[in-house]
Amino acid sequence: MANKIIIYIFFCFLLIGCSSSENNDQIKVTIKVIDSETRQPRVNDTVTIRQAKWGIPRRYVEVGQYVTDSLGSVTLRINKVNRYSFETDGPNFAFGSDEYGEGELKNNQQIVIKVVPPDKKQFRIE
């Protein structure tokens, strides 16, 4: 009977230890989407989060899509040890993006994505 209790307590500590280590890698980031010309927040733009998966070539898997609030921002929790791509698109094909490698993001970091309107984009073919 005593052995069962000891094993049960050991198992409970093991479960608690595993669940807390997962949370240590979780960080909170805020993505703020602004217009590149006016510097005003972009409301109701869609922000797509993609996580890099190992492979040749590297591929990105969509983690989620979020809509910016009245301040032009989205707050979420992600794993700090992964590589992420943040893309935003809005009306009239306006878009912007940013990418962060493994370990580059910090807790409570704000990511600012500047959206360029389609009529202001300049493409160069070299």
Side-chain angles (χ1 to χ4, degrees):
M1 180 69 171
N3 288 340
K4 286 184 181 181
I5 294 173
I6 292 172
I7 291 173
Y8 179 73
I9 292 172
F10 176 74
F11 185 70
C12 288
F13 280 121
L14 183 64
L15 285 177
I16 291 170
C18 290
S19 65
S20 66
S21 67
E22 261 183 38
N23 292 336
N24 289 340
D25 290 339
Q26 293 290 310
I27 58 171
K28 183 173 86 170
V29 294
T30 301
I31 297 116
K32 184 162 181 72
V33 183
I34 63 171
D35 187 281
S36 63
E37 290 185 337
T38 65
R39 304 285 188 233
Q40 295 298 312
R42 293 186 52 95
V43 180
N44 294 328
D45 274 15
T46 301
V47 178
T48 304
I49 315 297
R50 290 186 169 84
Q51 179 184 339
K53 294 294 182 183
W54 192 87
I56 299 175
R58 180 180 293 146
R59 57 188 183 94
Y60 287 84
V61 177
E62 186 175 307
V63 175
Q65 287 190 340
Y66 306 90
V67 177
T68 57
D69 60 13
S70 61
L71 300 174
S73 59
V74 171
T75 301
L76 58 127
R77 296 189 74 75
I78 59 174
N79 192 317
K80 69 180 178 183
V81 297
N82 294 328
R83 179 181 196 92
Y84 289 96
S85 170
F86 302 94
E87 302 167 8
T88 182
D89 59 295
N92 302 322
F93 306 107
F95 71 91
S97 65
D98 207 351
E99 186 171 328
Y100 291 86
E102 295 88 352
E104 288 183 3
L105 292 170
K106 307 297 180 222
N107 195 27
N108 296 317
Q109 182 171 342
Q110 184 178 53
I111 299 164
V112 178
I113 299 177
K114 296 177 183 172
V115 174
V116 179
D119 57 337
K120 303 296 181 190
K121 290 187 176 135
Q122 296 176 353
F123 295 102
R124 288 189 301 167
I125 300 175
E126 297 178 10

